[in-house]
Amino acid sequence: MTCSGTSALRFAAAVAVGLAAVAASAKTETAAASGDAHPAADLIIRDARVWTLNPAQPQAEAVAVLDGRITAVGADSSVLLWRGPKTRVVDAMGNRLLPGFNDAHVHFADGGAALTAVQLNDATSLKEFVKRIADYAVHAPQGEWIRSGNWDETKWSPAALPTRQDIDAVTPNNPVSLDRYDGHMIIVNSQVLKLAGITAKTLDPPGGVIVRDASGQPTGALKDAAIELVDHVTPVPTPAQRRRIIENALHEAASHGVTSVQDMTLDYGDLAVYSQLLREGKLSVRFYGAPPIGKVSDQAKLGIGHAFGSDSLRIGALKMFADGSLGSRTAYFFEPFTDEPQNRGLLFKDMLPLSRTRQRLQLADASELQVCTHAIGDAAISTTLDLYQEIEKRNGPRDRRWRIEHAQHMAARDFERFAQLHVIASVQPYQAIDDGRWAEARIGHDRASRTYAFRTFIDHGVRLAFGTDWPIAPLDPLLTLYAATTRATLDGKYSQGWFPEQKVSIQEAIAAYTVGSAYAEFQEHEKGSIEPGKLADMILLSQDVLTIAPAAIRDTHVLKTWLGGVEVYAARDSSL
Ligand SMILES: [Zn+2]
């Protein structure tokens, strides 16, 4: 899964050459065979099984591309009329062609950073976790921070949180701050606690927890808002480091057929890198970024409104947090956790106090900005819907497309409200087969039955947008399609599906990942389906996911990825 710096560079150069070639293709060349006046296509993909996502023409054989956009879709014979002497013709050999995947919820730079960081997610014991950190630390320059990791203690037995003592001995020369895979907890070593000045006397910040041992000493685990206690000592990456990380992420995206991403932690320092890559013709994914809600006044001042920018790079959204996560026991519920009767989670600091949250939302709405709120527990989702409802009541109905990210554990009465308020459910099905291993023990059967309730959302007419939350889950969309259609948990315990009544069809899953995600970023007229006029973002798959058994979907891989008709990825084993 990882990719070296050199291959990322080679890839970037190839994208630049490809994009330049498209720019240079003169419109004066005409299609020889047609006899019509229309110009020749730059690219024709023929003999494909095209699932277009266009209800007016669901299936086709071939697609022609001109100047980055789709210009013809249909039978080989009709589309080949667009062929000219310089048209590149790709024979898809009967493979399945789909619109590029649009991941509606990623942390793109974090994902890029995770590719080269210490890999802890699949460690199956505390011993293995410590060993991997030790092996990594041996090669880390003295004093350099060891970060990321994405550990998951639920894969160990017993599933106890790691402590600073576990890692201190193997990291004497490096500050260590390792993310739990859900992004709602970190474990730091004693060196970092010292640097940040966190002691037994430090109070828990609002919306956060400093985990402590029996004697009241911090264990090194910091939850939600407490994570920020180390921010002021954590080094900020240089522009060159940011660029390397983002280039790695771009390569990862192209290799998985992800042609658009919606970034839920846009940092202005990264925005400068995306902008530079765009100017250089090397931005090989379409990017929509949402900075944190605390920065609402920046975009409000500019008056840009939602989804402002070009086809390739846009801003105009805001990310807010209503609560934490189920795994970290910081998701906010009406009733306590089934296995922890004193705890019902907590609202995130973005919601404290609610009067400030209201002001921010009011400013966002007055500025026509889009709001995307992370809400996991049923009470967090309800509170967010209440706030959205107040805004609509005050300012009147409008095409806001405000979103709830994750929408994980729904109160039964809120599905209806979701639909009435036209709120988009931006969901990550892979988490259902990951958390499904242990979620029921934590919240009980009744609440679990409305967890990752994709079928119920669709039945209520709620619009779904699919994504992964990468690097919290793998970026690979085939795994997400597998998860949504099988709900077969990763531990093999529910091979027929965890709450199988919530499965969706492969057609519904692909739609949520393409047209659904495009709608969630106001881009449904630009992308999401293969039809004339739309951006030529397409992928070719090694297996026909529409006809194979859902259990086999995860063995599928991407053969080719095109962005605006430019090939940005070709599998090594692809002879096409
Ligand atoms: Zn996220």
Side-chain angles (χ1 to χ4, degrees), residues 162-422:
T163 65
R164 64 192 157 91
Q165 287 87 350
D166 294 323
I167 46 181
D168 279 349
V170 297
T171 56
N173 302 318
N174 303 83
V176 179
S177 170
L178 297 164
D179 300 331
R180 189 174 193 273
Y181 79 103
D182 64 0
H184 290 273
M185 199 186 328
I186 57 173
I187 180 78
V188 302
N189 66 357
S190 297
Q191 204 180 128
V192 169
L193 283 182
K194 203 169 156 202
L195 282 170
I198 301 168
T199 66
K201 290 188 191 131
T202 311
L203 298 176
D204 286 354
V209 176
I210 300 169
V211 180
R212 298 161 204 265
D213 64 20
S215 65
Q217 294 296 327
T219 66
L222 304 170
K223 295 186 180 186
D224 283 301
I227 295 171
E228 293 172 20
L229 296 174
V230 304
D231 277 358
H232 69 286
V233 295
T234 314
V236 176
T238 64
Q241 284 170 332
R242 286 178 192 270
R243 179 161 175 142
R244 245 189 337 267
I245 284 168
I246 288 168
E247 282 171 346
N248 284 347
L250 289 172
H251 182 261
E252 182 76 0
S255 73
H256 289 300
V258 176
T259 51
S260 290
V261 293
Q262 303 175 39
D263 187 82
M264 292 293 136
T265 32
L266 179 62
D267 178 293
Y268 293 151
D270 291 337
L271 184 58
V273 175
Y274 293 116
S275 168
Q276 186 186 39
L277 287 166
L278 178 63
R279 283 195 298 274
E280 294 173 17
K282 294 174 182 169
L283 187 60
S284 57
V285 77
R286 302 188 195 278
F287 184 93
Y288 183 39
I293 188 86
K295 299 195 185 289
V296 57
S297 56
D298 295 346
Q299 296 185 78
K301 249 184 270 168
L302 294 171
I304 52 174
H306 58 249
F308 170 83
S310 72
D311 295 338
S312 299
L313 183 56
R314 286 172 300 102
I315 53 173
L318 292 155
K319 171 74 183 302
M320 185 163 88
F321 279 90
D323 65 347
S325 76
L326 184 68
S328 293
R329 297 177 191 274
T330 50
Y332 183 53
F333 284 95
F334 287 113
E335 301 294 329
F337 292 104
T338 307
D339 59 351
E340 203 174 297
Q342 304 309 317
N343 181 13
R344 66 180 188 107
L346 64 170
L347 279 175
F348 198 74
K349 69 173 175 45
D350 285 355
M351 306 291 265
L352 306 169
L354 276 175
S355 54
R356 188 186 60 173
T357 314
R358 282 192 188 92
Q359 280 168 9
R360 286 172 167 178
L361 291 178
Q362 181 58 29
L363 178 57
D365 197 45
S367 314
E368 296 195 26
L369 294 163
Q370 188 181 22
V371 176
C372 314
T373 304
H374 162 120
I376 293 204
D378 51 16
I381 295 167
S382 262
T383 309
T384 305
L385 290 173
D386 291 346
L387 289 163
Y388 286 6
Q389 200 162 10
E390 278 178 38
I391 291 288
E392 185 176 270
K393 212 168 157 195
R394 186 189 302 181
N395 302 343
R398 186 166 63 73
D399 186 12
R400 291 184 174 80
R401 303 194 195 182
W402 283 14
R403 307 166 28 161
I404 290 188
E405 305 300 313
H406 315 305
Q408 233 166 268
H409 311 287
M410 292 284 294
R413 62 180 178 279
D414 277 338
F415 288 104
E416 195 62 53
R417 224 153 51 108
F418 233 102
Q420 278 165 4
L421 291 166
H422 306 289

Side-chain angles (χ1 to χ4, degrees), residues 3 11 13 21 65 88 99 155-156 175 199 249 255 262 276 318 327 359 395 398 427 450 470 480 527 541 570 573:
C3 102
F11 160 78
V65 177
R88 175 152 193 253
K155 292 174 180 160
W156 316 341
T199 66
S255 73
Q262 303 175 39
Q276 186 186 39
L318 292 155
Q359 280 168 9
N395 302 343
R398 186 166 63 73
V427 296
R450 293 183 302 277
W470 186 54
T480 290
K527 58 194 181 187
L541 295 174
D573 61 350

Side-chain angles (χ1 to χ4, degrees), residues 105 107 319 406 469 472:
H105 186 127
H107 303 275
K319 171 74 183 302
H406 315 305
D469 213 355
I472 287 169

